[in-house]
Amino acid sequence: MRNKNISASAETKTPVTVDGRGELVSPTSSSRLPLKTIDDVRVECARVYREMRSGLIDTSDGSKLVYVLGQISKMIELYDIENRIKLLEIKNGNN
């Protein structure tokens, strides 16, 4: 991916970018964003979209990232549904 840096830290000269929540993050920390909830995935998708629109990353690379994020979103949904079904089965005595 071609990633242009928005700015660099004045003290360390470390490149930084803005995450989906509008916070400055270094490239190493941006790869560790939490993707545990649908909202986390939504924020990350929006960040990738904004980076594509602004030319910070290639649209081909961004499209691939958004596809993977969509798959993660589906897995989160399925995990939630599976847990809800398990709870209903326990509640109804159908283990």
Side-chain angles (χ1 to χ4, degrees):
M1 280 182 272
R2 286 180 269 155
N3 188 1
K4 297 178 186 173
N5 297 314
I6 294 174
S7 63
S9 169
E11 298 150 3
T12 63
K13 300 292 184 196
T14 303
V16 294
T17 58
V18 178
D19 72 4
R21 294 180 176 94
E23 299 172 5
L24 292 177
V25 294
S26 71
T28 53
S29 66
S30 66
S31 63
R32 303 287 262 177
L33 293 175
L35 297 174
K36 294 181 179 184
T37 67
I38 295 294
D39 193 53
D40 291 340
V41 176
R42 178 193 62 79
V43 168
E44 183 67 5
C45 281
R47 184 189 65 78
V48 171
Y49 171 78
R50 283 190 301 277
E51 287 184 0
M52 285 190 294
R53 291 282 297 184
S54 64
L56 293 175
I57 61 173
D58 185 70
T59 55
S60 174
D61 292 333
S63 297
K64 292 171 189 174
L65 291 172
V66 170
Y67 173 80
V68 172
L69 289 165
Q71 297 304 306
I72 292 170
S73 176
K74 288 177 186 178
M75 289 182 173
I76 292 169
E77 289 176 302
L78 289 173
Y79 178 78
D80 183 52
I81 290 169
E82 181 182 46
N83 283 335
R84 289 175 185 223
I85 290 170
K86 285 178 183 178
L87 287 173
L88 288 172
E89 288 174 343
I90 290 169
K91 185 176 180 179
N92 291 323
N94 301 330
N95 332 4

